[in-house]
């Protein structure tokens, strides 16, 4: 700071002489003395003679890797999940997190990830100014003209804009400001590990490591034997909640004023969505011939056609993404924070509802988690007479819930009434019986575009009777079936324009791929088919539904090629291009231009044919057993790391090794060093029993005792070798 003051004084003194070079030197000296006398005195230097560290020094702020900072935050959160967090401002000051957030937002903006070494110094200085503004409460959400940092793609000079363009920027809907997205990413990196360690295991949306497939596998694993199902739609909560309810849910675990006020201002600040008046709009004449728009080098490419088509197949439960104020990517996280109270309430109801039955062969453990029966086939529920176990389960995906009840319908009706009262008191959400219907398993329950139904099976049960005699008899039970909804699949195809009709669907040509080559079109549709195969991976009718999708896409492409190459019918297209559409098609005047070079070089086989043209080519459903206490891989690694870092775990392992007579690598190296120092005997030449005896009885003999009391240096070498490793 002292150097900066001297530099400023020197520049100002030079400025006096530059203003008027003909000024009298005496007057110049008087002005300088008056100016210097008005300046405050510089701070005294530190006692050591060194200048204090600059808090804005970029090299001093980025000493640690941002990934290691995030990892330590996740470990600390999972190590202690009960305490209330109140010191998040220290994480908000970490400049490494701001640089990582800048890299992530730039990757979304430009389509390529920028390494930290490639970030310009000017951008880092602007990013530091943004961080300081957030810490000093000078940051404002949605500032479109006054920004601390701008996107590398933004080349607009705001000073050269006209009043009309500035008014349009301030009054019309605009994409999220670049600096707002950086602040949102930083807040998400700080808050997500805290709540991921506390969220209920019954929610599976907007969370890392969980997706719709996880929900389907949990339903197949845990919902077997349930007769009544309550399906609820709470997606109106995702449209927005009162700010007081959101902040109240956030304050249950986070008490940092800086972070809470920042999120509150994001929720309160109005989002500009209005447009200009109709009179001010100028009608633009459509040109008859428009040039094809060429993307810039740093501009991200739009989603390919196959990905857009697959997004059109998104189930109803995954269509709505919350967007609250200026929260951006924080909105789904805040929705989970608010709905976590519902998850915890349902977990309490599950424990209250559970009543085991001694005559039932399953679910008779105290907690109802461990089944007594065939664990390799958990979806099979044998019949066990009139007296059955009363049990319920619950899952939530976004704003949609599914409750399974094993028991009388009256219990399901009572639970529905309590659920309506809870949502009214907690979320001020008015629900009725129609929004929470109770359906029997025989009717089929549609959830995530999959139908849950029940099948009665008669497997052969083999068991050992008294005397060791094996008895085989026919058993009766139910099997939970998770099948893909073909009706829903037809509806989605009709919405995308691939077919028309319901009872007898007729494929329609996808004219959006008219100007693409045959190789490119086939490649796009193959990626779409592979995505459909993966989406219906856990459906019992996977072969049937994927074969239907392949038929629709193949017919759509055949009609497209018939119109493009003037072949009039699908039959002629199949005759020339074969069933898989892998042979190049020809026009009337000869070979088509897109395949001329391929045919001349003999590379006709480079055109990929369509996949899954026959049902036998579709893979079988995935029936891999799903564990009852499932956790994502990253949570397993975190919990294992925390367990191994606990001193109690290390002591337990050492005790177990001593009881079993085993040797740790540290003890083995310690014994190797000690024998080499003392007797020059290689440990590998000694028998294993002698090594174990020496390790276990180390220090108990008279010689060792004398050495311990006499020569402390050799003893330190002996027992320090294991600690060094």
């Amino acid at each position: 700071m002292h150097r900066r003051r001297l530099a400023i004084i020197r520049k100002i003194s030079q400025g006096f002489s530059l203003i008027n070079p003909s000024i009298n030197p005496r007057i110049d000296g008087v002005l300088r003395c008056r100016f210097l006398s008005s300046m405050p005195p510089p701070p005294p230097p530190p006692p050591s003679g060194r200048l204090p560290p600059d808090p804005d020094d970029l090299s001093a702020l980025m000493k640690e890797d941002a990934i290691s900072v995030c990892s330590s935050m996740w470990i600390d959160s999972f190590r202690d999940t009960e305490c209330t967090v109140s010191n998040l401002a220290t994480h908000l000051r970490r400049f490494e997190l701001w640089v990582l957030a800048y890299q992530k937002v730039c990757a979304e903006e430009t389509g390529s990830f920028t390494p930290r070494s490639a970030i310009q110094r000017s951008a880092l200085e602007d990013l530091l100014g943004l961080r300081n503004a957030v810490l000093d409460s000078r940051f404002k959400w949605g500032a479109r003209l006054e920004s601390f940092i701008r996107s590398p793609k933004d080349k607009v000079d705001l000073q050269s804009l006209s009043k009309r363009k500035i008014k349009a920027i301030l009054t019309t809907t605009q994409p999220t400001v670049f600096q707002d997205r950086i602040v949102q990413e930083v807040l998400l990196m700080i808050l997500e590990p805290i709540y991921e360690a506390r969220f209920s295991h019954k929610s599976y949306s907007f969370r890392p490591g969980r997706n719709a497939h996880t929900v389907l596998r949990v339903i197949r694993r845990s919902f077997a034997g349930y007769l009544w199902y309550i399906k609820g739609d709470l997606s109106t909560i995702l449209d927005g909640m009162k700010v007081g309810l959101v902040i109240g849910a956030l304050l249950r675990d986070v008490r940092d004023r800086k972070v809470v006020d920042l999120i509150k201002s994001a929720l309160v600040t109005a989002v500009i969505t209005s447009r200009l008046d109709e009179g001010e709009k100028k009608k633009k004449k459509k040109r008859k011939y428009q040039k094809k728009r060429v993307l810039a080098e740093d501009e991200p490419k739009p989603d390919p056609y196959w990905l857009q088509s697959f997004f059109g197949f998104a189930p109803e439960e995954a269509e709505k993404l919350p967007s609250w104020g200026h929260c951006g990517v924080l909105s789904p996280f805040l929705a989970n924070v608010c709905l976590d109270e519902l998850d915890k309430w349902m977990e309490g109801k599950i424990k209250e509802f559970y009543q085991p039955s001694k005559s039932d062969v399953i679910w008779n453990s105290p907690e109802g988690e461990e089944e007594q029966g065939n664990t390799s086939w958990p979806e099979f529920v044998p019949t066990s007479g009139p007296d059955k176990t009363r049990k319920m389960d619950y899952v939530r995906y976004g704003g949609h819930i599914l409750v399974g009840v094993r028991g009388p319908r009256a219990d399901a009706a009572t639970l529905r009434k309590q659920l309506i009262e809870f949502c009214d008191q907690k979320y001020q959400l008015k629900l009725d019986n129609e929004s929470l219907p109770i359906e029997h398993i025989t009717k089929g329950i549609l959830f995530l575009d999959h139908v849950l139904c029940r099948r009665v099976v008669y497997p052969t049960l083999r068991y050992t009777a008294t005397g060791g005699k094996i008895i085989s008899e026919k058993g009766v039970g139910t099997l939970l079936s998770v099948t893909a909804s073909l009706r829903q699949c037809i509806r989605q195809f009709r919405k995308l324009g691939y077919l028309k009709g319901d009872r007898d669907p007729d494929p329609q040509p996808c004219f959006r791929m008219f100007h693409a080559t045959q190789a490119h079109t086939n490649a796009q549709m193959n990626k779409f088919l592979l995505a459909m195969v993966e989406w219906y991976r856990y459906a019992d009718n996977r072969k049937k539904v994927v074969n239907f999708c392949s038929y629709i896409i193949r017919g759509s492409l055949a009609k497209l090629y018939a119109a493009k190459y003037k072949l009039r019918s699908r039959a002629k297209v199949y005759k020339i291009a074969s069933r898989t559409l892998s042979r190049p098609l020809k026009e009337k005047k000869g070979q088509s231009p897109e395949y001329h070079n391929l045919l001349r070089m003999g590379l006709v086989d480079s055109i990929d044919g369509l996949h899954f043209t026959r049902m036998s080519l579709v893979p079988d459903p995935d029936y891999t057993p799903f564990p009852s206490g499932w956790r994502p891989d990253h949570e397993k690694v975190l919990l294992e790391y925390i367990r191994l870092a606990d001193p109690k775990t290390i002591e337990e392992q050492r005790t177990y090794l001593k009881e079993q007579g085993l040797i740790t690598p540290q003890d083995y190296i310690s014994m190797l060093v000690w024998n080499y120092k003392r007797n020059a005997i290689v440990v590998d030449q000694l028998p294993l029993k002698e090594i174990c005896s020496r390790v276990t009885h180390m220090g108990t003999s008279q010689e060792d005792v004398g050495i311990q009391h006499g020569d402390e240096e050799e003893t330190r070498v002996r027992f320090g070798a294991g600690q060094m490793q």
Side-chain angles (χ1 to χ4, degrees):
M1 297 297 293
H2 182 56
R3 292 180 179 176
R4 289 187 178 182
R5 290 176 182 270
L6 293 177
I8 293 172
I9 292 171
R10 190 178 296 109
K11 289 182 180 180
I12 294 175
S13 61
Q14 293 175 1
F16 280 117
S17 59
L18 293 176
I19 293 173
N20 192 357
S22 62
I23 193 170
N24 193 350
R26 290 186 178 181
I27 300 176
D28 187 14
V30 171
L31 292 175
R32 291 185 183 183
C33 291
R34 288 181 179 177
F35 177 77
L36 293 177
S37 62
S38 64
M39 292 289 291
S48 60
R50 296 181 180 178
L51 294 175
D54 189 0
D56 295 340
D57 187 9
L58 297 176
S59 59
L61 292 174
M62 292 194 298
K63 289 184 177 180
E64 194 172 355
D65 186 23
I67 303 300
S68 62
V69 175
C70 293
S71 301
S72 62
M73 291 167 55
W74 279 85
I75 292 171
D76 295 340
S77 300
F78 273 80
R79 182 176 283 124
D80 189 2
T81 59
E82 300 296 334
C83 67
T84 303
V85 183
S86 59
N87 57 347
L88 291 180
T90 57
H91 299 300
L92 200 62
R93 291 190 181 93
R94 299 299 297 263
F95 190 63
E96 298 92 342
L97 299 180
W98 290 86
V99 175
L100 180 60
Y102 175 80
Q103 291 174 303
K104 294 174 65 176
V105 176
C106 282
E108 297 175 358
E109 191 84 2
T110 61
S112 60
F113 187 81
T114 305
R116 193 169 72 174
S117 58
I119 303 176
Q120 298 181 0
R121 184 174 181 83
S122 59
L124 293 176
E125 292 175 352
D126 295 341
L127 188 63
L128 183 61
L130 175 62
R131 188 207 68 166
N132 296 336
V134 172
L135 294 175
D136 299 339
S137 301
R138 293 183 288 108
F139 172 76
K140 294 182 180 180
W141 295 95
R144 299 180 178 181
L145 298 180
E146 299 176 0
S147 58
F148 296 92
I149 185 171
R150 298 173 64 182
S151 170
K153 282 181 55 182
D154 191 2
K155 307 297 183 181
V156 179
D157 186 8
L158 298 177
Q159 297 180 356
S160 62
L161 293 179
S162 61
K163 293 183 179 180
R164 183 180 60 83
K165 291 184 178 180
I166 292 177
K167 184 179 179 181
I169 292 175
L170 295 176
T171 55
T172 57
T173 304
Q174 299 287 335
T176 308
V177 185
F178 182 76
Q179 64 179 11
D180 289 6
R181 294 161 62 187
I182 295 177
V183 179
Q184 294 163 6
E185 287 287 347
V186 173
L187 291 175
L188 183 62
M189 284 190 287
I190 294 174
L191 293 174
E192 190 177 36
I194 298 173
Y195 282 93
E196 278 297 323
R198 307 168 190 235
F199 277 156
S200 171
H201 300 299
K202 302 296 183 180
S203 63
Y204 296 93
S205 65
F206 315 136
R207 297 182 62 185
R210 296 170 173 85
N211 51 25
H213 279 172
T214 310
V215 180
L216 295 175
R217 299 186 73 184
V218 168
I219 291 174
R220 184 190 293 277
R221 172 67 173 77
S222 304
F223 280 66
Y226 293 152
L227 300 178
W228 303 100
Y229 285 83
I230 304 175
K231 182 181 174 183
D233 184 6
L234 311 179
S235 58
T236 53
I237 295 179
L238 303 182
D239 295 333
M241 293 181 62
K242 291 187 177 181
V243 179
L245 297 176
V246 180
I247 299 301
L250 196 66
L251 287 174
R252 286 186 293 121
D253 301 305
V254 174
R255 298 294 176 87
D256 190 276
R257 183 178 179 182
K258 182 73 67 177
V259 174
V260 173
D261 289 346
L262 195 60
I263 295 176
K264 184 177 180 180
S265 63
L267 294 170
V268 171
T269 305
V271 180
I272 300 174
T273 57
S274 59
R275 298 182 180 180
L276 293 173
D277 297 335
E278 294 295 333
E280 297 182 5
K281 289 184 179 179
K282 293 184 178 180
K283 295 183 179 180
K284 295 183 179 180
K285 296 182 179 180
K286 294 184 179 180
R287 297 180 180 179
K288 190 174 182 180
Y289 300 102
Q290 293 182 352
K291 293 183 179 179
K292 188 176 181 181
R293 182 172 174 268
V294 180
L295 298 176
E297 294 181 357
D298 58 346
E299 186 175 0
K301 296 182 180 179
D303 291 335
Y305 181 69
W306 72 271
L307 197 57
Q308 294 178 7
S309 301
F310 182 67
F311 284 160
F313 269 79
E316 180 184 358
E317 292 80 2
E319 283 182 350
K320 185 173 292 186
L321 187 69
S323 179
W324 296 353
H326 291 278
C327 290
V329 295
L330 275 174
S331 300
F333 166 76
L334 293 176
N336 274 335
V337 171
C338 297
L339 291 173
D340 187 59
E341 299 184 22
L342 173 63
D343 301 336
K344 298 293 178 60
W345 182 79
M346 286 300 302
E347 286 181 354
K349 289 297 178 182
I350 290 173
K351 294 181 180 179
E352 293 178 8
F353 190 82
Y354 178 67
Q355 291 183 3
S357 175
K358 294 182 179 180
S359 61
D360 206 343
V361 296
I362 61 171
W363 298 327
N364 52 8
S365 61
E367 297 296 332
E369 294 293 337
E370 299 178 1
E371 292 81 0
Q372 304 293 328
N374 188 4
T375 56
S376 63
W377 198 10
E379 58 269 17
F380 170 71
V381 180
T383 56
S384 56
D387 188 13
K388 297 181 181 180
T389 299
R390 294 175 68 251
K391 192 174 183 291
M392 61 172 286
D393 210 338
Y394 157 84
V395 292
R396 179 178 64 83
Y397 190 82
H400 295 260
I401 63 175
L402 182 67
V403 183
V405 179
R406 179 181 171 92
R409 190 184 186 279
D411 293 342
T414 304
L415 178 63
R416 178 175 63 179
K417 182 179 179 181
Q418 296 174 355
L419 182 60
I420 291 174
E421 295 176 355
F422 177 83
C423 292
D424 188 12
Q425 295 176 0
K426 185 63 64 176
Y427 304 115
Q428 300 180 5
L429 181 64
K430 303 295 182 181
L431 299 175
D432 53 5
N433 293 342
E434 295 182 358
S435 59
L436 294 171
I438 301 176
E439 299 179 355
H440 198 267
I441 185 63
T442 54
K443 293 185 177 180
I445 290 88
L446 181 65
F447 195 74
L448 290 173
D449 287 352
H450 287 68
V451 179
L452 312 180
C453 54
R454 183 181 64 174
R455 290 186 296 172
V456 180
V457 293
Y458 304 92
T460 301
L461 304 177
R462 293 182 177 86
Y463 58 92
T464 304
T466 56
K469 185 179 180 181
I470 299 177
I471 300 177
S472 299
E473 60 180 20
K474 287 287 184 180
V476 181
T478 59
L479 186 66
L480 181 66
S481 177
V482 181
T483 60
S485 175
L486 192 61
R487 181 181 300 177
Q488 191 72 11
C489 184
I490 294 174
R491 187 180 305 168
Q492 300 292 351
F493 268 126
R494 190 173 65 249
K495 184 177 67 175
L496 294 174
Y498 280 95
L499 57 82
K500 64 178 181 180
D502 288 335
R503 296 184 178 180
D504 189 13
D506 184 24
Q508 298 296 308
C510 51
F511 284 112
R512 288 187 59 185
M513 301 293 292
F514 186 83
H515 296 287
T517 61
Q518 183 181 354
H520 179 68
T521 305
N522 286 6
Q524 291 280 305
M525 292 306 176
N526 279 334
K527 292 180 180 179
F528 175 60
L529 283 173
L530 291 174
M532 296 295 293
V533 167
E534 184 63 25
W535 167 238
Y536 292 117
R537 180 176 183 178
Y538 299 100
D540 292 341
N541 59 342
R542 184 186 188 183
K543 284 180 171 290
K544 180 180 179 181
V545 70
V546 173
N547 185 60
F548 173 77
C549 295
S550 177
Y551 160 72
I552 295 298
I553 292 174
R554 190 172 67 252
S556 178
L557 288 186
K559 284 191 173 182
L560 172 68
Y561 294 151
K564 183 177 180 179
Y565 298 107
K566 302 178 181 180
L567 297 175
R568 295 185 180 180
S569 66
R570 284 185 289 176
K572 292 185 178 180
V573 173
Y574 290 139
K575 184 177 181 181
I576 299 174
S578 75
R579 182 185 180 89
T580 60
L581 303 176
S582 59
R583 296 176 185 172
L585 295 167
K586 301 178 181 180
E587 293 180 341
K588 292 182 178 180
K589 297 182 180 180
Q591 302 166 352
S592 57
E594 56 266 24
Y595 298 116
H596 178 71
N597 296 329
L598 294 176
L599 291 174
R600 185 176 58 184
M601 294 185 293
L603 299 177
V604 178
D605 296 334
S606 61
I607 303 176
D608 296 331
L610 294 181
H611 298 326
F612 315 120
T613 53
R614 300 185 184 278
M615 188 178 293
S616 58
L617 301 177
V618 182
D620 295 328
D622 189 353
Y623 292 111
T624 306
F626 196 66
S628 58
W630 178 85
R631 279 179 174 270
D633 293 337
H634 68 278
E635 291 188 8
K636 290 181 181 178
V637 173
L638 283 171
L639 296 176
E640 186 69 16
Y641 177 83
I642 294 171
R643 189 181 68 85
L644 293 177
D646 190 4
K648 295 181 180 179
T649 305
I650 299 175
E651 192 63 29
E652 291 176 359
Q653 291 178 350
R654 288 180 177 175
T655 305
Y656 178 78
L657 290 175
K658 288 181 180 179
E659 292 176 356
Q660 299 294 328
L662 302 175
I663 307 174
T664 61
Q666 290 82 359
D667 293 336
Y668 182 81
I669 294 174
S670 177
M671 194 64 195
L672 176 68
V673 173
W674 171 246
N675 281 277
Y676 182 77
K677 286 279 188 180
R678 186 182 175 194
N679 301 324
I681 300 176
V682 182
V683 181
D684 294 338
Q685 297 178 0
L686 297 176
L688 182 60
K689 293 183 179 180
E690 186 175 352
I691 295 175
C692 295
S693 63
R694 290 196 179 198
V695 172
T696 54
H697 300 289
M698 186 182 295
T700 58
S701 63
Q702 294 181 359
E703 266 188 329
D704 293 339
V705 172
I707 290 171
Q708 288 178 3
H709 290 285
D711 194 354
E712 296 181 358
E713 184 177 357
E714 292 189 6
T715 307
R716 192 181 302 111
V717 172
R718 174 184 177 185
F719 292 100
Q723 300 294 332
M724 291 172 61
Q725 295 299 322

